[in-house]
Amino acid sequence: MQIVNSFILLFVLFPAFAFSTALPVELVAPGVYVHHGVHRDINVDYGGDICNISFVIGSKGVAVIDTGGSPKTGARLREAIREVTQLPILYVINTHVHPDHVLGNAAFKQDHPVFVGHDKLAGFMAQRKDAYLRNEPLWVGADAVGTELIPPTMPVTDTRDIDLGGRTLRLTTYPVAHSPTDLSVFDTASKTLWTGDLLFIERTPSIDGDAPGWLKVIEQLRAIPATYVVPGHGPVSSNLSGALDDEKRYLSVLLADVRAAIKRGESMEQTIATAAQSEQTKWLLFDIINRRNVALVFPVLEWE
Ligand SMILES: [Zn+2]
């Protein structure tokens, strides 16, 4: 009876406790929250919640950094925000065009935020819109209802600062690297860096851009004085350069192995079986992602 009474009391005092579907979030630094998606591939038990999605609270309001892979995931992130603050959601920032990072945007339309992204993001969203919308029900089932591609109303060229009140978010855009639309966010107050998918930790880095270009951007990221780094996928780290070293090693080995295979006259299928195999035990989802990377890199390097 005592236990039953305690439960009833809990629900009366904290109604959210009973019904909350808010995403669990990690408090990284004061006002900095990150939800970690699970390490799954988009084609296998995906669920629309596989990357890191975050929010930052200043005295004026909130900025969201990526929204997840469905309106449902976006709505659950919004719930998590509302459990922490009632301040207005002023900005929704997308780190790049990939569906696992942007297809939750629609959940924030009600807040009338400024949508922010790379100046190439709108073009790539338009180009990929039909394919993403066609695939979304296959990826996330009923959670696909209400999915929209919402392009930036504030496109960023080079760098731009956003004042959240008591903290500034410095946005930086990059030439083609992981993707053609990469943007990083650096919070001056906590010295937290969001790399989007310019950095993977634990999960095999996937290429949808230019591997040599990505290696150059890795050196650019090294110069950022980050206390914490939130990668696109994987745990928050306080060792930016170590994480970049791991990623640089994988990309370098991949490029070297594919170039050597081409030189030996091997086919793409043969190369898929051999390239970067020394990295196989060091990353999650390696076989599926490495295969795609080789398939993307091989035809480009063939023409070098
Ligand atoms: Zn991603």
Side-chain angles (χ1 to χ4, degrees):
M1 196 56 198
Q2 186 70 50
I3 292 170
V4 172
N5 282 340
S6 306
F7 264 112
I8 290 167
L9 189 66
L10 196 62
F11 291 159
V12 171
L13 292 177
F14 305 103
F17 182 84
F19 307 111
S20 174
T21 55
L23 291 176
V25 289
E26 174 191 1
L27 177 65
V28 173
V32 176
Y33 296 82
V34 179
H35 167 72
H36 297 284
V38 288
H39 287 310
R40 285 188 194 149
D41 184 68
I42 200 155
N43 292 318
V44 188
D45 297 329
Y46 166 53
D49 178 21
I50 66 164
C51 65
N52 290 330
I53 53 181
S54 310
F55 57 97
V56 186
I57 307 171
S59 61
K60 293 183 189 170
V62 181
V64 175
I65 304 174
D66 284 340
T67 56
S70 71
K72 173 84 168 287
T73 302
R76 294 182 63 203
L77 178 67
R78 193 175 179 282
E79 269 186 68
I81 296 170
R82 285 294 169 246
E83 287 187 357
V84 178
T85 179
Q86 294 306 315
L87 284 169
I89 296 169
L90 301 175
Y91 299 94
V92 170
I93 303 166
N94 289 134
T95 60
H96 62 294
V97 69
H98 288 154
D100 50 325
H101 297 258
V102 307
L103 293 188
N105 281 8
F108 295 93
K109 268 189 5 179
Q110 60 190 296
D111 300 297
H112 306 289
V114 176
F115 286 92
V116 183
H118 193 291
D119 60 6
K120 297 248 165 47
L121 182 59
F124 277 92
M125 277 184 168
Q127 202 182 92
R128 296 178 178 193
K129 182 177 173 178
D130 289 349
Y132 285 179
L133 293 181
R134 194 173 56 243
N135 282 316
E136 180 72 345
L138 306 175
W139 289 331
V140 302
D143 292 352
V145 172
T147 301
E148 281 181 62
L149 270 295
I150 301 181
T153 46
M154 181 198 279
V156 179
T157 306
D158 301 324
T159 64
R160 181 146 183 176
D161 288 349
I162 287 177
D163 175 19
L164 272 190
R167 67 197 326 151
T168 299
L169 299 184
R170 165 143 286 208
L171 313 171
T172 305
T173 58
Y174 299 88
V176 184
H178 160 73
S179 83
T181 54
D182 300 314
L183 172 147
S184 69
V185 181
F186 183 64
D187 168 39
T188 56
S190 66
K191 306 225 177 299
T192 304
L193 170 68
W194 285 261
T195 58
D197 283 3
L198 289 169
L199 179 63
F200 285 76
I201 296 179
E202 294 181 354
R203 181 186 170 108
T204 313
S206 71
I207 306 167
D208 176 31
D210 178 52
W214 194 349
L215 286 166
K216 284 183 203 149
V217 168
I218 283 173
E219 298 315 314
Q220 241 179 297
L221 291 171
R222 257 182 226 290
I224 300 173
T227 303
Y228 307 103
V229 58
V230 181
H233 299 256
V236 175
S237 171
S238 49
N239 181 7
L240 173 61
S241 71
L244 290 170
D245 284 344
D246 288 341
E247 185 172 80
K248 178 182 178 178
R249 191 195 61 241
Y250 167 72
L251 293 172
S252 304
V253 167
L254 174 73
L255 286 173
D257 286 0
V258 173
R259 283 184 175 123
I262 291 168
K263 220 171 172 183
R264 290 193 299 269
E266 290 170 11
S267 69
M268 186 159 93
E269 272 310 310
Q270 284 172 305
T271 308
I272 281 170
T274 57
Q277 288 305 305
S278 60
E279 292 286 309
Q280 210 258 356
T281 57
K282 297 177 178 136
W283 302 94
L284 300 171
L285 299 170
F286 184 85
D287 291 339
I288 192 163
I289 296 172
N290 186 62
R291 156 179 279 273
R292 274 185 220 138
N293 288 342
V294 176
L296 188 127
V297 161
F298 187 97
V300 179
L301 297 185
E302 246 185 334
W303 294 100
E304 268 186 349

